[in-house]
Amino acid sequence: MKAILLAGGQGTRLRPLTLHTPKPIVPIFNRPFLTYQIDLIRQIPDITEIILSLNYQPRRIEDVFGDGSSVGVPIRYLVEPAPLGTGGAIKFAEPFLDDTVVVFNGDVLTEIDLGAVIAQHRARKARATIVLTPVENPTAYGLVETDADSNVTRFLEKPKADEITCNTINAGIYALEPETFDRIPKDTNYSIERLYFPSLVERKETFVAYVYRGYWIDIGTPEKYTAVHRDIMDGRFTAPPFDGDASRVVVSPSAKIADGVVLTGPCFIDDEVVIKAGCRVGAHSVIGRGSHLEEGVQVDGSIIWPSTWIGRDAVLKDAIVGRNAHIGRNAQLGASALLGDKTVLTDYTRA
Ligand code: GDD
Ligand code: MG
């Protein structure tokens, strides 16, 4: 059995962070995002290969995962010549599939038991199984209605406010039988959400829902990106480097932290970070590999990517800063600050 990770989106809502780092590999603490999904998929013993379906900056992703030996599962890369949409990308992978395929949107994080999803798919002899999760506002998602036997009766992508009839949405995780891909045209942009799923309903094929009420998040926006870190730090989602152990101060042994620096958990300080005297690092902060905090810097609730330099007495509250940025001294950054890689801020900037 194979799994396809749909990871070709441009991550527009996470710009500027995704200008040089495609969304599937934005760091969550010190690991590329997809590592968390690969860990989940590896738990199904039948999976023999993960197909990474890419088109935006594919080389950067290949450089991270290689042949998959570092993550313990063979990886095949399929790069579309042009974005084919979610359905077109699956069709593009069809020649490499054997039997049932597990498909994952490349931007969701969850603790779902995939073995149970596959077991239900087989027990119901389904042509397609879709995981649903409840959310407060379905408008940003695919709304899915079901009957009493969990058969899908309607799929409506990005419903308008007056079209909302239930709170269960497409969680972006499917088990599909490849023979149903007959309706997807080759080499054509095609949406699995807008065309394929509605067609299963129309043709009355066995299309079954698996409702999951545990942890689930789509990391598509800066708010969600921050929320993922906080959920892991607070133990709402059990994953490295906190592993469910909330409120800890996690500091790499190779970080150099001056005496008297105040670190308030939960926070994460990666390898080779330098934190000079008089700094305070507050709760929910993440300082990426090799970043420098000069004397008197205060960081609170902020996520700093690797190799960034922060000048004396700068204050960062709930900000996100990309790689290799240079924050001048006495700069003050607030909650809406979202700085891309290599940003240079003059001393005393307020943003
Ligand atoms: N290979 C490839 N090619 N991948 C693509 C393409 C493409 O042309 N377009 C999108 N993807 C990937 C994205 O990288 C992402 O991982 C996934 O497909 C879904 O695309 P998004 O752009 O993130 O869609 P969304 O978040 O608006 O909506 C989707 O996810 C929701 C759950 O988070 C839909 O599947 C909704 O129905 C669902 O509720
Ligand atoms: Mg998404």
Side-chain angles (χ1 to χ4, degrees), residues 6 8-9 53 55 80 85 105-107 141-142 157-158 170 193 218:
L6 294 172
S53 166
N55 54 62
E80 300 141 42
N105 281 355
D107 60 353
Y141 303 102
E157 183 65 12
K158 308 283 186 300
N170 168 21
E193 296 87 352
D218 163 339

Side-chain angles (χ1 to χ4, degrees), residues 42 82 113 121 159 206 293 309 312:
R42 272 177 44 214
D113 177 354
H121 179 77
T206 315
L293 273 55
W309 186 91
R312 272 185 105 104

